[in-house]
Amino acid sequence: MERHRTWIKRFVDKFKLSKPPPPVPFSPSRSKSQHSDLRYSPVSDLDYGTLLCWATNAVGTQRNPCTFTVFPAGKPDAAASCIAFNETERSVAVSCEPGYSGGVDQSFLLEAWDDGVVRATDASDTPLLQVTGLRPGTRYTLKVFAVNTMGRSQPYVFTAFTLTDVAERRT
């Protein structure tokens, strides 16, 4: 059965086009399957927006188009609701809620600050982190960043304490 798809870029009203946009150049990469692929790489700000797709076969053309919205990638939003838990004499674990990723994969970075110096760091693909090698009985300023290929978020900043060393208390 002969079939094909037509892809059209729909522009936002603010551009006030005098004529309809041209079809997006398209060639299916898999001709024997039940789907078609479109590789679309925006070049300018005008290339972001909604892509519309209509399938056509021997029966006819699809009435309502499929739609895909293309957003520009950006820096991730800051993590939220971070809490410290499982504090020991030498470590602190942190859990956060991730923010918006910026449209691409993100990871997370934890920094433990004391006296204006970064004393320990941890990085993870999930917002569950732990810094180790800390000094007992110390107040730390913790900073959690979300990071992606476009940059890093503003930090989520909060305070945590390591426990006092039990051996020091006994002497």
Side-chain angles (χ1 to χ4, degrees), residues 19-67:
K19 60 182 179 176
V24 174
F26 170 70
S27 59
S29 62
R30 299 179 190 177
S31 59
K32 294 183 180 181
S33 67
Q34 294 297 314
H35 72 275
S36 298
D37 295 334
L38 171 70
R39 297 196 189 277
Y40 183 75
S41 298
V43 177
S44 75
D45 288 344
L46 294 176
D47 295 336
Y48 295 101
T50 305
L51 293 174
L52 304 176
C53 168
W54 287 268
T56 303
N57 62 19
V59 176
T61 300
Q62 179 178 340
R63 286 187 189 145
N64 298 317
C66 53
T67 60

Side-chain angles (χ1 to χ4, degrees), residues 58-147:
V59 176
T61 300
Q62 179 178 340
R63 286 187 189 145
N64 298 317
C66 53
T67 60
F68 298 91
T69 303
V70 181
F71 295 99
K75 292 180 183 179
D77 289 346
S81 304
C82 295
I83 59 166
F85 67 98
N86 199 25
E87 295 103 329
T88 70
E89 291 89 355
R90 302 226 174 249
S91 67
V92 175
V94 171
S95 176
C96 301
E97 292 296 322
Y100 173 63
S101 71
V104 292
D105 290 339
Q106 67 180 340
S107 59
F108 299 88
L109 172 66
L110 171 61
E111 297 176 343
W113 289 75
D114 173 42
D115 293 330
V117 177
V118 177
R119 302 291 181 183
T121 63
D122 187 27
S124 174
D125 289 340
T126 66
L128 184 59
L129 304 128
Q130 183 177 22
V131 282
T132 59
L134 303 177
R135 293 184 309 188
T138 305
R139 176 183 186 220
Y140 287 92
T141 299
L142 302 180
K143 298 180 182 182
V144 177
F145 298 90
V147 181

Side-chain angles (χ1 to χ4, degrees), residues 149-167:
T149 56
M150 303 303 289
R152 73 182 194 176
S153 70
Q154 291 296 314
Y156 184 99
V157 181
F158 63 110
T159 302
F161 297 86
T162 52
L163 301 178
T164 302
D165 192 339
V166 175

